[in-house]
Structures are given as structure tokens and as C-alpha cells.
Amino acid sequence: MFYKILVAIDKSEIGQCVFDEALALAQKLNASLMLLHVLDPFDERYPSSIALHTDSLYPSFRPEAVNYYMSRWEALKQKGMEFLKIFYDQAIAQGVTTEYTQNFGEPGRVICEVAQSWKADLIMIGRRGRRGISEFFLGSVSNYVLHHAPCSVLTVQGLIHAIEPNKLTTKT
């Protein structure tokens, strides 16, 4: 039986689906939720430290660039907490005991570490459906979690991009 469900969510469409599935399951099982959002320093959506260097032969850190970079990270951290709070409020309104946390680091590893320290019975995570070379180069958080989790893992499948039959063109 699952009593403690760790829900790894992000600001994608699949993140909403994962939360919805986790909330429904927690209600049915009378389980607690831990909502987790991970700030990944290598995600292309987040600020890069490249802006900190000058174009000179010997790169240095300019104070104004460092301040800008740090303010961007602070804003992202705040937005992440607001994002989690929205889901937290929804779960509490449905009568589900819920906590939330935002951590910094490599998502797969952070998810497994939080699951271990919180003693989760189940991790729920989204899967975007990357395959082949895309998965190899871009990595797969869900794949990492499946292989390193200290508990059971339930993946919620995202949309798989496929060519629709009516989109194919033929020459006559």
C-alpha cells in the first residue's frame, strides 16, 4: 500500500497531468503527498553563468553581471515556490495531507534523494516520450529515477509526438 507519494512536477503540461493523477490516487488511498519541483542549473530555460564572463582574453566576473544573474535565480526560485503553492492549495482543498519543497540540482538524483529522506512509498513522475538519440543526448529524468529510486515508481506518459496519417503527403 502507498501512504507517502512523492510527486515530481515541473511547469509543463505533463506536470499538471502528474499532479492530477497523484491527487486522485492520494484521495483513494488516503495517502500523503510531497510535491517536489527541482531547479536544474543545466536546464536551458534557466539563467546561464556565461553572462558573467567578459569577452576579454582573461574572463572575470563583473559585479553587475553577477547581481543580474543572482536576481534572475532568486526570481526563478520565487516563481517555483508560487507554482508549488498553487498545487499545494488544490490538494489541501481536496482534503489531502500535503507538503511541498523545491530543491536545486540534477533532477533525477534530487528526486531519488528526497524520496529516500522523506521515506516515500511511491514516486510519481512524468515521461515526455523521448526516444532514441533524443533521449540519449537530452537525458531522461524518468529513466534515471526508474533505475535509482528507493521505492516504487509510477510514470505518467506525456504526449508522444507522432506523424498523423493525414499529415503525410504523397506525390502522384
Side-chain angles (χ1 to χ4, degrees), residues 10-30:
D10 61 13
K11 295 179 184 179
S12 66
E13 188 175 310
I14 191 68
Q16 179 69 52
C17 295
V18 171
F19 172 75
D20 292 342
E21 293 291 331
L23 182 59
L25 184 60
Q27 287 175 308
K28 288 179 182 160
L29 299 176
N30 196 27

Side-chain angles (χ1 to χ4, degrees), residues 24-93:
L25 184 60
Q27 287 175 308
K28 288 179 182 160
L29 299 176
N30 196 27
S32 299
L33 295 179
M34 169 64 80
L35 307 177
L36 171 64
H37 181 248
V38 180
L39 292 172
D40 179 1
F42 300 108
D43 190 317
E44 71 237 12
R45 295 172 292 179
Y46 297 135
S48 168
S49 62
I50 293 172
L52 298 178
H53 300 290
T54 63
D55 293 331
S56 70
L57 182 58
Y58 301 102
S60 63
F61 294 106
R62 298 177 308 193
E64 60 276 358
V66 172
N67 290 338
Y68 173 76
Y69 176 77
M70 294 307 295
S71 69
R72 292 278 316 271
W73 269 110
E74 286 303 315
L76 282 169
K77 285 170 36 180
Q78 183 62 36
K79 285 181 184 176
M81 292 305 285
E82 291 168 1
F83 162 76
L84 283 169
K85 180 80 165 78
I86 291 168
F87 286 117
Y88 169 83
D89 289 342
Q90 290 176 26
I92 293 296

